[in-house]
């Protein structure tokens, strides 16, 4: 069922939080399921080097990709951290998550990192966008909310970024309405719709919301992912299979599932067509 699928959002250990599996274990399960690729994400450190090690550990039976999240743990909007991650083969640069203005007050107990000031992208982010564009890497939007996204996404396009992924738009911290999603889609953004948002043990988003968003904004703009790795949840591979089962039961056709699970992420990550 998972043959050829790509999960663009997995958390694994080592980490500052408990995780269900190690990088190598996640890669092994993905390879055994004949998945095409996975992306390792950490809120506190680059995963570019870890991804290369995990891929080697499974004899390259699955592509394992990483990148860097621009939280305070790596210096925030740190151009040097981005340059290092990309130089080591990282494919994704996430804007702040736990350090975002939407999240930091409740998680880090302080104000979040500003990516937009007075309606403009801050200068530090402009330099990072140019780095991402030069490497043809993926800009993922982390925990940015609508007001920030309406500024950042068009600016990224102006700076030459071709691969933009709006991270879990249904997550309550982000909670993008359909009109905003359609606006961002017209700028070329794609949407990473995560199983954790609706089926994680702490999730509060109804599954009907994610299915409705997919239909309203389009399967052609949707990239499926789990955002799994928490000890209390299923493994990422099992979670992904459950996700596809739920979407099939909701009436999505096999061709639509293949597009959202395989083809869209293949194009987004710049992988060779299978």
């Amino acid at each position: 069922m998972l043959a050829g699928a790509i999960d663009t959002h997995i958390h694994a250990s080592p980490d500052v939080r408990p995780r269900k599996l190690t990088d190598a274990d996640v890669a092994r399960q993905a390879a055994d399921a004949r998945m095409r690729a996975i992306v390792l994400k950490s809120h506190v450190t680059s995963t570019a080097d870890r991804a290369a090690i995990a891929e080697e550990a499974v004899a390259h039976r699955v592509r394992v990709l990483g990148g860097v999240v621009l939280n305070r743990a790596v210096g925030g909007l740190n151009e040097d951290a981005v340059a290092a991650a990309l130089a080591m083969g990282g494919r994704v640069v996430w804007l702040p998550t736990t350090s975002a203005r939407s999240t930091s007050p409740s998680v880090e107990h302080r104000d979040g990192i500003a990516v937009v000031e007075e309606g403009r992208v801050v200068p530090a982010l402009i330099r990072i966008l140019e780095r991402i564009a030069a490497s043809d890497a993926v800009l993922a939007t982390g925990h940015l909310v609508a007001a920030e996204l309406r500024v950042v996404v068009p600016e990224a396009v102006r700076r030459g970024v071709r691969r933009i992924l709006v991270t879990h738009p249904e997550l309550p911290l982000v909670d993008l309405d359909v009109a905003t999603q359609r606006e961002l889609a017209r700028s070329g953004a794609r949407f990473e719709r995560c199983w954790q948002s609706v089926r994680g043990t702490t999730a509060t988003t109804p599954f009907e919301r994610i299915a409705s968003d997919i239909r309203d904004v389009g399967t052609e703009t949707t990239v499926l992912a789990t955002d799994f790795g928490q000890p209390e949840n299923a493994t990422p591979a099992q979670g992904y299979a459950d996700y596809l089962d739920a979407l099939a039961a909701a009436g999505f056709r096999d061709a639509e599932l293949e597009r959202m699970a395989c083809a869209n992420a293949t194009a987004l990550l710049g992988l060779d067509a299978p």
Side-chain angles (χ1 to χ4, degrees), residues 109-131:
H109 308 293
R110 48 184 163 171
D111 291 339
I113 294 171
V115 298
V116 172
E117 291 283 12
E118 298 181 352
R120 296 183 178 182
V121 170
V122 298
L125 181 52
I126 288 175
R127 295 191 294 272
I128 287 167
L129 295 177
E130 291 171 345
R131 288 264 186 186

Side-chain angles (χ1 to χ4, degrees), residues 90-173:
R91 289 295 295 147
V92 184
V93 177
W94 291 269
L95 297 181
T97 57
T98 55
S99 295
R101 281 179 162 175
S102 66
T103 310
S104 187
S106 60
V107 174
E108 299 178 340
H109 308 293
R110 48 184 163 171
D111 291 339
I113 294 171
V115 298
V116 172
E117 291 283 12
E118 298 181 352
R120 296 183 178 182
V121 170
V122 298
L125 181 52
I126 288 175
R127 295 191 294 272
I128 287 167
L129 295 177
E130 291 171 345
R131 288 264 186 186
I132 294 169
S135 295
D136 200 22
V138 177
L139 170 69
T141 59
H143 289 186
L144 269 60
V145 297
E148 295 166 309
L149 292 169
R150 291 192 188 102
V151 177
V152 170
V153 169
E155 185 64 31
V157 173
R158 281 193 290 271
R159 298 288 168 174
V161 178
R162 299 193 308 123
R163 308 176 191 277
I164 301 172
L165 186 62
V166 176
T167 314
H168 42 46
E170 292 82 16
L171 188 74
L173 286 165

Side-chain angles (χ1 to χ4, degrees), residues 54-271:
E55 185 174 317
E56 180 71 27
V58 296
H60 303 281
R61 291 189 296 133
V62 63
R63 289 298 315 273
V64 184
L65 305 171
V68 64
V69 182
L70 299 179
N71 286 327
R72 286 191 173 92
V74 302
L77 301 182
N78 182 349
E79 183 183 358
D80 291 331
V82 171
L86 295 175
M88 284 189 285
R91 289 295 295 147
V92 184
V93 177
W94 291 269
L95 297 181
T97 57
T98 55
S99 295
R101 281 179 162 175
S102 66
T103 310
S104 187
S106 60
V107 174
E108 299 178 340
H109 308 293
R110 48 184 163 171
D111 291 339
I113 294 171
V115 298
V116 172
E117 291 283 12
E118 298 181 352
R120 296 183 178 182
V121 170
V122 298
L125 181 52
I126 288 175
R127 295 191 294 272
I128 287 167
L129 295 177
E130 291 171 345
R131 288 264 186 186
I132 294 169
S135 295
D136 200 22
V138 177
L139 170 69
T141 59
H143 289 186
L144 269 60
V145 297
E148 295 166 309
L149 292 169
R150 291 192 188 102
V151 177
V152 170
V153 169
E155 185 64 31
V157 173
R158 281 193 290 271
R159 298 288 168 174
V161 178
R162 299 193 308 123
R163 308 176 191 277
I164 301 172
L165 186 62
V166 176
T167 314
H168 42 46
E170 292 82 16
L171 188 74
L173 286 165
V174 178
D175 194 23
L176 295 186
D177 59 44
V178 166
T180 300
Q181 292 184 46
R182 287 174 172 163
E183 176 186 342
L184 297 173
R186 288 192 290 270
S187 294
R190 297 296 176 259
F191 301 91
E192 181 187 72
R193 306 194 190 277
C194 293
W195 191 231
Q196 161 67 8
S197 298
V198 297
R199 284 297 185 270
T201 55
T202 60
T204 58
T205 303
F207 173 72
E208 292 74 18
R209 159 80 188 277
I210 208 166
S212 176
D213 281 7
I214 292 171
R215 290 191 175 99
D216 287 343
V217 186
T219 56
E220 69 278 7
T221 68
T222 293
V223 173
L224 300 181
T226 63
D227 191 7
F228 267 16
Q230 304 80 12
E232 65 273 16
N233 290 329
T235 65
Q238 182 59 57
Y240 208 123
D242 294 342
Y243 197 0
L244 292 176
D245 279 343
L247 289 168
F252 288 93
R253 301 185 304 273
D254 287 350
E256 294 173 314
L257 297 177
E258 190 281 334
R259 183 168 195 172
M260 295 186 291
C262 309
N264 291 346
T266 294
L268 174 80
L269 294 168
L271 302 177

